[in-house]
Amino acid sequence: MGKSFGEHLKKRGEECKASRYFKNPSLKINKDNIFKMINFDDFKKVDLRAAKILKAEKVDGTDKLLKIEVDVGEEKRQIVSGIAESYIPKELEGKNIVIVYNLKPRKIFGLESQGMLLAVDEEDLSLLVPDKDIAPGAKIS
């Protein structure tokens, strides 16, 4: 039997922050359940774009979700994201962010989400933002 992910990190002297993402913290480590490497052709399929947040508001009935309207150059899109506990909606307006542009739309809490914003979730959530002002819709490579 393999060690759990948490046991593996403890043995290496690391805190098990990543185990909170697994539904089963006793998940056994093997080559099939650890983060898989993708090849370059798979990575090329992901279309990352710059977007400007036009409007953000809380989703009724939940404390975690925001409905965010973004400008991606040739169109405006709606993204539903679980960042409401980390950001005040009004403070997001005008911010440039990075989104996954070619993600298939899906319903979240009854609202269609037409992409995904990128963020880092360590101790505090942090949106990935360009360090310079770039045009909405600009491709990121």
Side-chain angles (χ1 to χ4, degrees), residues 59-60 65 67 78 80 106-113:
V59 174
D60 290 335
L65 297 177
K67 180 174 79 170
Q78 175 175 280
V80 179
R106 72 181 269 205
K107 292 272 186 180
I108 300 174
F109 227 77
L111 300 168
E112 184 176 70
S113 186

Side-chain angles (χ1 to χ4, degrees), residues 33-51:
N33 65 13
I34 294 298
F35 305 101
K36 292 186 178 185
M37 299 294 283
I38 62 171
N39 64 40
F40 189 71
D41 288 335
D42 288 336
F43 177 72
K44 288 189 328 187
K45 293 176 188 176
V46 180
D47 187 356
L48 300 176
R49 302 274 180 108

Side-chain angles (χ1 to χ4, degrees), residues 99-118:
I99 68 166
V100 179
Y101 183 74
N102 62 334
L103 192 64
K104 286 184 182 178
R106 72 181 269 205
K107 292 272 186 180
I108 300 174
F109 227 77
L111 300 168
E112 184 176 70
S113 186
Q114 303 164 322
M116 178 184 289
L117 56 79
L118 298 184

